[in-house]
C-alpha cells in the first residue's frame, strides 16, 4: 500500500468510503475491507454510521494502531462548542479511541473560520484526533485555513474524478505539503463506461474502476476513498498498486475533465474554483 506523507500524517493512498453504508452491511464491508488489506477508513458524523463503522473496525481483528480512521464535523456544528461536542460524540459512537484525522466536512458561511480552526486545534491538542484537515475547500479558502493553522492541516477532501478539473485545489494542497483525498473517485459510476477509460482498461487487462483509481493515486499526494456495498468489489478496488499508467494514458484521462463535471453541488457549497 502506497503511503502519502503529509505534514506528519501517514495516509494510505487507497481507503474505504462509507457514505450511504448503513446497518449490518456497513459493519460487514468495513470488517472485510480491513481483513483484505484496507488500512484507511473514512466516515463522518453526518453519515449516521459511525457506530457501525466502529464495530467493523473492532470486529476486523486488526490492531487499531495499524489503521487510519477519518471522521468529519458537519457544517452546522462549526462553532467552538459544536466542534468539541461533535468530536466527543463521534468518538463515543466509533468506540475505537482517537481518530487519526478530523475534517471540517463543509466550510461554514456563518461561523468564522478562525473560530472553527481554533477549536479544531484545541481538540487535537486534547488528544481527540491526531491530525486535522478540511473538506470541500476551494483553493482560496484552503489558503486561508493554512494561514490560520501555521501549516498544521494534513488533507483537503474534495470531489475528484476524471470529469472534474481540480487543478487549483490540488496545487494549493501540494504547495503546503498537504494530501488531497478524492471522494466520488469514479464519478458515482459514470466514468466506468467512458470509452477512453474502457479502452485503457482493456489494453491493460484491468477494470475501468482500477484504471480510474490508479489514475488518482498515481498523482502526487492524492488518495482515493471509493465506496462500495459489495464485498467482491473491495479487492478489485484495492488491487491497483501492481501496475502503472503511461504518461499518455494519464494525460488522456486528464483530458476528460469538462465544465459540467461536478456532481456534488449542494446549496451550502462554497464558491468553487
Amino acid at each position: 500500500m502506497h503511503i502519502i506523507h503529509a505534514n506528519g500524517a501517514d495516509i494510505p493512498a487507497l481507503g474505504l468510503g462509507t457514505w450511504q453504508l448503513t446497518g449490518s452491511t456497513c459493519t460487514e464491508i468495513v470488517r472485510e475491507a480491513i481483513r483484505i488489506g484496507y488500512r484507511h477508513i473514512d466516515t463522518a458524523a453526518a453519515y449516521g454510521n459511525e457506530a457501525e463503522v466502529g464495530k467493523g473496525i473492532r470486529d476486523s481483528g486488526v490492531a487499531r494502531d495499524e489503521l487510519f480512521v477519518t471522521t468529519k464535523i458537519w457544517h452546522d456544528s462549526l462553532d467552538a462548542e459544536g466542534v468539541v461536542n461533535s468530536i466527543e460524540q463521534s468518538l463515543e459512537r466509533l468506540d475505537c479511541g482517537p481518530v487519526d484525522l478530523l475534517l471540517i466536512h463543509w466550510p461554514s458561511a456563518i461561523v468564522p473560520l478562525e473560530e472553527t480552526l481554533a477549536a479544531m486545534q484545541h481538540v487535537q491538542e486534547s488528544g481527540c484526533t491526531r491530525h486535522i484537515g478540511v473538506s470541500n475547500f476551494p483553493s482560496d479558502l484552503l489558503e486561508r485555513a493554512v494561514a490560520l493553522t501555521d501549516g498544521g492541516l494534513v488533507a483537503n477532501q474534495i470531489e475528484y474524478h476524471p470529469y472534474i478539473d481540480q487543478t487549483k485545489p490540488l496545487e494549493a494542497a501540494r504547495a503546503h505539503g498537504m494530501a488531497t483525498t478524492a471522494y466520488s473517485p469514479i464519478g458515482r459510476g459514470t466514468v466506468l463506461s467512458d470509452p477512453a477509460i474502457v479502452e485503457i482498461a482493456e489494453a491493460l487487462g484491468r477494470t475501468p474502476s482500477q484504471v480510474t483509481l490508479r489514475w488518482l493515486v498515481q498523482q502526487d499526494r492524492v488518495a482515493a476513498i471509493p465506496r462500495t456495498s459489495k464485498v467482491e468489489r473491495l479487492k478489485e478496488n484495492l488491487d491497483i498498486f501492481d501496475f502503472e499508467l503511461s504518461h499518455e494514458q494519464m494525460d488522456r484521462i486528464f483530458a476528460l475533465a469538462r465544465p459540467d463535471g461536478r456532481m456534488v453541488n449542494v446549496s451550502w457549497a462554497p464558491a468553487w474554483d
Side-chain angles (χ1 to χ4, degrees), residues 145-177:
V146 168
L148 290 168
T149 54
D150 297 323
L153 302 177
V154 305
N156 183 20
Q157 186 177 127
I158 56 176
E159 177 186 351
Y160 188 30
H161 47 74
Y163 289 162
I164 185 170
D165 181 358
Q166 292 285 31
T167 301
K168 288 185 177 179
L170 283 164
E171 288 180 347
R174 289 179 185 131
H176 297 289

Side-chain angles (χ1 to χ4, degrees), residues 13 20 31 60 72 102 105 117 131-132 167 183 194 209 271:
Q20 293 186 322
R31 181 185 68 235
S60 72
K72 313 178 195 75
L102 179 65
H105 204 152
L117 288 172
H131 305 283
I132 59 173
T167 301
Y183 72 75
D194 188 280
S209 179

Side-chain angles (χ1 to χ4, degrees), residues 2 4 170 174 178-180 215-223 250:
H2 175 60
I4 299 170
L170 283 164
R174 289 179 185 131
M178 296 173 61
T180 298
W215 172 76
L216 287 163
V217 303
Q218 198 166 308
Q219 298 175 46
D220 181 32
R221 290 185 184 162
V222 174
M250 290 288 290

Side-chain angles (χ1 to χ4, degrees), residues 79-123:
D79 61 290
E81 183 179 358
V83 168
V84 173
N85 290 340
S86 181
I87 184 58
E88 288 181 347
Q89 292 167 12
S90 288
L91 295 183
E92 184 175 346
R93 289 188 291 261
L94 283 162
D95 192 22
C96 59
V99 292
D100 297 280
L101 179 57
L102 179 65
L103 302 178
I104 297 171
H105 204 152
W106 288 88
S108 172
I110 301 169
V111 180
L113 188 56
E114 291 83 350
E115 178 178 349
T116 302
L117 288 172
M120 294 279 284
Q121 289 177 301
H122 169 71
V123 297

